[in-house]
Amino acid sequence: MRARLVLLCLALLAAASGASAQDATPPLSLKGEWRQGSLLFGQTTPGAEVHFNGRRLRLSPEGRFVFGLDRDEPAEASLSIRLPGAPEWLTRYPVAQREYQIQRLNGLPPKQVNPEPAMEARIAAEAAQNRKARARDSDYASVFAPFAWPAKGAITGVFGSQRILNGEPKQPHYGVDVAGPVGAPVVAPADGVVSLANPDMFFSGGTLYLDHGYGVSSAFLHLSKILVKEGQPVKRGEKIALIGKTGRVTGAHLDWRVNWFESRVDAQQLVPPQGKP
Ligand SMILES: [Zn+2]
């Protein structure tokens, strides 16, 4: 009895002194690399409050959560967890910085570098549509199931690459490009709900977004045909569109992008190497 009382007092002392931060580490498992472009999956105690870089994360009833490290994520990120009635536990993690393919092209005619000023209003309106699709924060748990390739074919473009045209850095390439003939099928890489279906965007042509839940979305660009409607739920493997060469492209391919809100992550990390099941 006495020994138990002493132990209890020691525990209270430790808690009060703050030296117990390590002892108070909440249960946490994390899957994924602390590297630019990664999507990380976590699990902690149900009911906990989890913040990534100060942003409150949606927690599943089982205590699962997900967050993404942007293409240009700074070298340090923070994750904090607060269990009901406990002090906040905050850890900083180093984020591995990636080198991206940079291509410099000079001496181009200006109209090849920037769209016509007359297109500005349309481009801005379409950018707002895209941002709205990426801002969705739904509780679909599809994101926690494995992803599959949305199309088969040679990889012709990778995440993060960037062109600098006449000294002007253009928007980086956020997707993985899969070459394929016009009309080849595009299937849903995971369950989701169609959050945007626009057959004709200036840059990306036929454009489709799927909301996989918890802030994670897929985008499919340059489609020749969209086979689903906004608001429609789709299943992993279901045919949703056809590959095309619409928008500003040189050849037929699927550009598949994965986002965690406005953070751009590397879709390729979510699927096995091509050719493997
Ligand atoms: Zn592309």
Side-chain angles (χ1 to χ4, degrees):
M1 184 68 190
R2 184 163 205 156
R4 264 176 72 186
L5 193 64
V6 169
L7 272 178
L8 180 68
C9 290
L10 282 174
L12 286 173
L13 266 174
S17 73
S20 65
Q22 276 161 330
D23 304 301
T25 301
L28 168 68
S29 75
L30 275 177
K31 204 182 105 205
E33 266 185 278
W34 285 93
R35 183 172 182 254
Q36 288 177 331
S38 283
L39 202 58
L40 285 95
F41 295 88
Q43 163 101 52
T44 185
T45 308
E49 206 178 285
V50 182
H51 288 84
F52 167 69
N53 283 350
R55 180 183 186 134
R56 174 103 186 246
L57 302 184
R58 178 182 285 278
L59 211 65
S60 80
E62 305 80 31
R64 302 171 90 178
F65 58 91
V66 60
F67 58 93
L69 304 178
D70 186 62
R71 174 193 185 268
D72 299 313
E73 192 72 35
E76 191 182 80
S78 72
L79 190 68
S80 80
I81 298 181
R82 190 199 298 271
L83 299 180
E88 182 176 59
W89 170 91
L90 185 139
T91 305
R92 295 182 196 284
Y93 293 87
V95 176
Q97 307 285 293
R98 288 172 66 166
E99 298 266 336
Y100 300 107
Q101 290 176 20
I102 305 290
Q103 191 184 15
R104 285 186 172 76
L105 296 170
N106 291 310
L108 298 169
K111 70 174 169 65
Q112 243 175 282
V113 177
N114 285 306
E116 310 264 317
M119 289 293 151
E120 268 170 32
R122 177 183 170 191
I123 289 168
E126 292 174 355
Q129 283 184 40
N130 288 322
R131 275 197 306 275
K132 193 175 162 208
R134 290 193 294 266
R136 283 171 59 121
D137 183 8
S138 65
D139 62 359
Y140 312 131
S142 324
V143 65
F144 298 114
F147 279 56
W149 281 97
K152 296 281 176 192
I155 306 296
T156 52
V158 294
F159 174 78
S161 60
Q162 189 177 30
R163 286 176 150 190
I164 300 175
L165 306 181
N166 295 351
E168 212 178 294
K170 307 311 286 183
Q171 193 192 69
H173 188 257
Y174 295 122
V176 52
D177 287 339
V178 182
V182 172
V186 176
V187 303
D191 292 3
V193 171
V194 179
S195 49
L196 185 155
N198 186 326
D200 180 27
M201 284 187 153
F202 179 77
F203 286 114
S204 53
T207 305
L208 176 64
Y209 270 77
L210 292 183
D211 176 3
H212 302 299
Y214 291 69
V216 176
S217 59
S218 277
F220 309 90
L221 280 52
H222 313 304
L223 304 167
S224 59
K225 195 167 181 149
I226 295 173
L227 305 171
V228 288
K229 291 192 164 55
E230 282 179 18
Q232 184 179 331
V234 297
K235 285 285 174 198
R236 181 185 195 251
E238 184 177 334
K239 194 161 140 183
I240 52 175
L242 305 179
I243 288 183
K245 54 174 181 185
T246 55
R248 296 187 119 209
V249 282
T250 48
H253 72 277
L254 171 68
D255 183 330
W256 173 37
R257 304 178 171 199
V258 175
N259 318 290
W260 176 69
F261 299 109
E262 280 302 312
S263 292
R264 312 314 191 100
V265 301
D266 190 346
Q268 252 185 291
Q269 78 192 286
L270 296 172
V271 285
Q274 283 267 23
K276 304 239 176 88

